[in-house]
Amino acid sequence: IETDRCEENPSGGVFVNQIILPTMCCFNSSGLQPLDSTSLVPSLCSTKTCSKTTRHPTAFWLIQKEHQGCDCCVYNGSLVPDGWSIPLNRFQNLTCCKGELLETALPPLSECQIQNLTYLIDTSGSMHKARPIWEPVALELIDVMEARQVDIMDYTLLDYVTTVHVTTTTSSNAVFYDAVDNLTISGGSKEHTFAGLLTALEMSNCHNFICVFTDEIGDDTNNPVLKEEILIRKTLTKSELFFMVMPSSETHTHETFQEIFADIGHVIEITSNIDAVMDVVDIMKASKICTENCTEASIELVIPRPRTLQEETSPWITILRRGQYGNNVALFSDAAFSEYVAGFGDENEEFWFGLEKLAKMTNNSVW
């Protein structure tokens, strides 16, 4: 292809400059394209390549179908078919719709049924410093559950430092969100992690969804009796347990958390994992919470085993213990009614069994 261009001579005057372009080119809206160059045709879901064969004296566009149908979209330099979708953020997908990339809501998870969503948040002093890490994750998970339309009946916020007690119980997503957002880190040196988990598993006879937010292992996690009860109750109630952990020292590494908690629930490190909430949702989607109905009536809960100070089997069930263990002298007098319902204290020291557990335990048989 020859073109003539009028150019000015620096020494004066003008002249005609003739340029000969290569003839083995293809032409599109951007101009001439060399052999082997490619371009996308989203409307046809095809790629076209500038080609030449011995049967064709000139170059031509060779069109190759990439996807069935029409109205594809271009994403990161590639064709994606109509209906293609990818997560854009925690709440939206990027979806190809008739040739146009649109931000769409994530599909609902209304098939997932949670009877009680419980947060056990460590309120020991170190969690105040770690608040910028755990609080956004805790609140984001509440928002995601709401946005994905997970069927949640009740919410519970439970403190397990010093004593195990319920601080908030509600059927309102907004009330629960505010309770977490305004949680006071009161401090304390003793975390009753396993005792707290047992209390959380007793919130409902089916489909408990429990998240523990902590940077500590806990002071009762070496108790095999408590661990066995947690595993039994978790299985019977088709519940899911998540340990949202923040490794804080050489003695509290991610590997340590895995060693203690991995056979009880899912250990998710939240210090640097920006996808922690999505990981929780993905695990939940594959669990019985989303794949099996909550057959509450068919579940017979295990009655807590009798325990002595030496954790020996005994014909007696201790429902109250008082003594000189260095506890707060107002442990019983300052306890709220909700704590007397749920139970509180250390089962190896001073404690109250709990009205709710007493009611469940004595509901059957002769006492």
Side-chain angles (χ1 to χ4, degrees):
I1 301 176
E2 297 181 0
T3 63
D4 293 336
R5 187 168 59 196
C6 184
E7 296 189 2
E8 184 177 359
N9 193 321
S11 60
V14 295
F15 67 99
V16 175
N17 186 8
Q18 187 176 69
I19 300 175
I20 301 177
L21 299 175
T23 57
M24 290 297 101
C25 292
C26 299
F27 185 81
N28 63 12
S29 58
S30 300
L32 292 171
Q33 306 298 327
L35 281 174
D36 299 325
S37 62
T38 61
S39 63
L40 304 177
V41 188
S43 61
L44 300 178
C45 294
S46 302
T47 301
K48 61 181 184 179
T49 305
C50 185
S51 306
K52 183 182 179 303
T53 65
T54 55
R55 298 176 60 183
H56 292 80
T58 58
F60 65 97
W61 288 111
L62 177 64
I63 297 179
Q64 184 174 0
K65 196 77 170 172
E66 295 290 333
H67 300 285
Q68 295 295 323
C70 299
D71 297 326
C72 287
C73 300
V74 178
Y75 176 75
N76 284 349
S78 301
L79 288 174
V80 293
D82 182 41
W84 169 92
S85 188
I86 188 174
L88 184 63
N89 52 45
R90 303 289 188 270
F91 308 100
Q92 292 177 307
N93 277 351
L94 189 65
T95 303
C96 178
C97 182
K98 300 299 181 183
E100 185 177 1
L101 286 174
L102 302 174
E103 294 181 3
T104 58
L106 292 173
L109 295 174
S110 52
E111 73 278 9
C112 301
Q113 299 177 336
I114 297 175
Q115 295 295 304
N116 199 291
L117 187 153
T118 302
Y119 276 5
L120 285 82
I121 300 180
D122 184 352
T123 56
S124 59
S126 59
M127 288 290 281
H128 180 75
K129 184 178 179 180
R131 191 165 197 145
I133 299 174
W134 63 262
E135 185 176 61
V137 176
L139 296 178
E140 182 183 331
L141 181 56
I142 299 172
D143 283 337
V144 168
M145 291 291 198
E146 176 79 4
R148 299 297 296 273
Q149 301 177 34
V150 177
D151 184 8
I152 302 175
M153 182 173 293
D154 292 303
Y155 301 84
T156 299
L157 183 58
L158 196 150
D159 189 352
Y160 63 97
V161 177
T162 305
T163 64
V164 177
H165 58 280
V166 174
T167 60
T168 301
T169 180
T170 178
S171 59
S172 167
N173 170 282
V175 171
F176 185 65
Y177 186 101
D178 288 342
V180 174
D181 193 26
N182 297 307
L183 178 66
T184 299
I185 302 300
S186 54
S189 60
K190 204 162 192 177
E191 293 96 358
H192 303 279
T193 310
F194 277 4
L197 284 173
L198 270 178
T199 300
L201 284 166
E202 292 165 359
M203 291 296 146
S204 171
N205 287 355
C206 186
H207 285 197
N208 293 289
F209 184 98
I210 302 167
C211 290
V212 180
F213 293 86
T214 186
D215 59 356
E216 301 279 352
I217 295 298
D219 295 284
D220 62 353
T221 53
N222 60 349
N223 187 322
V225 177
L226 288 177
K227 183 175 182 179
E228 182 184 0
E229 290 183 13
I230 290 170
L231 290 171
I232 293 173
R233 195 173 289 270
K234 174 192 171 185
T235 300
L236 289 176
T237 59
K238 303 178 184 179
S239 298
E240 289 297 324
L241 278 60
F242 296 88
F243 297 89
M244 316 297 280
V245 301
M246 294 161 286
S248 56
S249 66
E250 292 183 359
T251 58
H252 292 85
T253 65
H254 182 70
E255 290 72 24
T256 308
F257 284 112
Q258 285 280 0
E259 181 181 349
I260 299 296
F261 297 130
D263 54 346
I264 296 177
H266 310 280
V267 179
I268 298 180
E269 186 269 316
I270 62 174
T271 304
S272 58
N273 181 8
I274 61 174
D275 294 322
V277 170
M278 298 305 294
D279 291 343
V280 170
V281 173
D282 287 341
I283 293 171
M284 180 190 70
K285 286 161 58 178
S287 74
K288 292 181 179 180
I289 284 178
C290 298
T291 60
E292 294 187 14
N293 291 330
C294 185
T295 53
E296 186 172 354
S298 66
I299 296 174
E300 182 179 349
L301 291 179
V302 176
I303 300 304
R305 288 186 180 185
R307 284 183 288 274
T308 68
L309 290 175
Q310 293 76 33
E311 297 297 341
E312 298 174 348
T313 302
S314 164
W316 298 96
I317 296 176
T318 304
I319 64 172
L320 172 69
R321 181 182 293 117
R322 300 298 302 269
Q324 300 299 321
Y325 297 100
N327 291 336
N328 182 355
V329 295
L331 176 65
F332 282 79
S333 60
D334 286 353
F337 178 72
S338 60
E339 296 178 78
Y340 277 97
V341 171
F344 59 88
D346 185 339
E347 293 177 347
N348 293 313
E349 296 179 0
E350 286 193 310
F351 84 100
W352 163 244
F353 191 67
L355 294 172
E356 186 174 18
K357 282 182 279 190
L358 275 175
K360 289 179 180 178
M361 183 176 68
T362 56
N363 192 40
N364 297 304
S365 304
V366 177
W367 296 81

